[in-house]
Amino acid sequence: MDTEVTAIPVVVVTGAGGGLGAATTALYASRGWHVVAVDLTAPPSGPGITSVAADVTDSASLKALADRVRAEHNRLDAVITFAGVLGIGPLAETDPERVQQVLDVNVMGTVRTVHALFDLLRSSGGRVVLISSETGPQHGMPMNGAYAMSKHAIEAYGDSLRRELMFLGPDVVLIQPGPFRTGMTASIRRRFQESTLPGSPFAAMAAVMGEMAAGEDDKATDPGVLAEAVWTAGTTDRPRHRYAVRWDLGRRLLDHLPVPLVDKALTLALGGKIDAKKLELRREAAEALSVAEAEARP
């Protein structure tokens, strides 16, 4: 095994096959870093990019990743944890196994990644860049509970990890993106529609929230903007603890108001829309039943 340390800085990017991870991978590679781009399916390779298939829910898979980085580069200057999944749906109705899956990927996947690569990071004086969300420090919103839980946990993990590693040298930085255009958000309306059970009392709420989320996606920012923020977080000499990037202004303002006031505002803003959507869904169901009965007549 070649143990000579290469001169080119090396970064591992998990979730590199998605829009945000792919944009960050391309940016680091274009600026002279060697990127080990990781996803469940190996992302496209290219100049300065080594593509690796690995699963952040599998410790053995991540150990194999660490062994490869050590063998091929013997250094690691940064790890950036984009790997994650959405968690949409009513908490009272969502299968706990699905909530567990979101936490396993978003939270424990991050923990496993850092754990597997820690020795390399420490020996190189590398940096940990954790991808949180504007949801991370904010109060949870309807239909977004599992995802919010995971990002709140990443915020706590990042703070504790930073305060441990600051005595050893490596920096830990949290990135808190607002709405950006990604593969996950592109199908947001469908994801909301599929998040409830047949006959669910949350169906109207899911439809309303899905329409609102789709509208936000239309205004979402280009992933290249976030990639620039991640570049700064990963390379500047004195990084900030957190980088809030293009937060939604309305959500930011709501989070500064007293919780009871926000709950009241949500009731007023959403109640009418949900009631109207319930009537619409009932009419659609009645029309579908009428058509089915007509077709069934001899």
Side-chain angles (χ1 to χ4, degrees):
M1 181 175 67
D2 183 6
T3 58
E4 181 181 353
V5 178
T6 61
I8 299 173
V10 178
V11 57
V12 168
V13 180
T14 67
L20 301 180
T24 299
T25 293
L27 183 65
Y28 270 78
S30 72
R31 293 180 179 173
W33 283 53
H34 192 93
V35 184
V36 181
V38 181
D39 216 313
L40 274 173
T41 300
S45 59
I49 301 173
T50 298
S51 298
V52 177
D55 183 354
V56 298
T57 68
D58 180 3
S59 294
S61 178
L62 292 171
K63 181 182 182 303
L65 167 66
D67 290 343
R68 180 169 178 177
V69 173
R70 184 177 291 104
E72 295 181 2
H73 305 284
N74 201 31
R75 69 181 293 166
L76 183 58
D77 299 270
V79 58
I80 304 169
T81 60
F82 274 104
V85 294
L86 285 175
I88 293 170
L91 284 172
E93 196 174 79
T94 301
D95 189 328
E97 293 298 322
R98 172 55 183 163
V99 177
Q100 178 65 53
Q101 180 188 25
V102 173
L103 298 177
D104 196 29
V105 175
N106 294 3
V107 183
M108 293 309 301
T110 298
V111 172
R112 291 187 193 96
T113 299
V114 174
H115 181 267
L117 297 170
F118 176 66
D119 287 343
L120 273 166
L121 283 165
R122 184 185 178 192
S123 62
S124 300
R127 183 169 300 175
V128 179
V129 181
L130 304 174
I131 306 302
S132 178
S133 165
E134 65 176 353
T135 303
Q138 295 174 355
H139 293 98
M141 286 294 177
M143 311 296 293
N144 196 34
Y147 184 76
M149 289 163 62
S150 73
K151 293 306 181 179
H152 277 243
I154 290 297
E155 293 281 326
Y157 174 70
D159 281 334
S160 293
L161 187 66
R162 184 185 72 253
R163 288 169 175 166
E164 292 168 358
L165 298 192
M166 67 185 183
F167 296 100
L168 302 179
D171 291 310
V172 178
V173 185
L174 282 157
I175 304 289
Q176 300 166 323
F180 282 85
R181 290 193 296 275
T182 70
M184 287 196 299
T185 57
S187 58
I188 196 74
R189 185 180 280 108
R190 175 181 56 80
R191 289 171 180 267
F192 272 93
Q193 291 172 344
E194 295 174 352
S195 71
T196 57
L197 300 174
S200 170
F202 300 101
M205 180 187 295
V208 168
M209 298 300 294
E211 291 167 1
M212 293 175 64
E216 290 180 4
D217 189 63
D218 292 338
K219 301 179 290 183
T221 307
D222 184 270
V225 174
L226 183 64
E228 287 286 354
V230 177
W231 168 261
T232 299
T235 62
T236 191
D237 288 339
R238 295 185 177 181
R240 301 200 300 263
H241 294 160
R242 284 170 168 78
Y243 289 82
V245 190
R246 297 293 181 93
W247 282 20
D248 179 86
L249 181 59
R251 290 184 183 178
R252 174 174 282 191
L253 292 174
L254 278 179
D255 215 53
H256 287 288
L257 296 174
V259 171
L261 183 59
V262 175
D263 286 355
K264 182 66 174 178
L266 288 173
T267 301
L268 293 173
L270 297 178
K273 293 180 181 180
I274 292 173
D275 288 341
K277 181 60 69 171
K278 286 180 181 178
L279 292 175
E280 179 183 334
L281 293 175
R282 287 171 186 163
R283 283 197 303 269
E284 291 176 354
E287 290 171 1
L289 179 60
S290 178
V291 170
E293 290 175 344
E295 291 176 348
R297 293 191 193 105

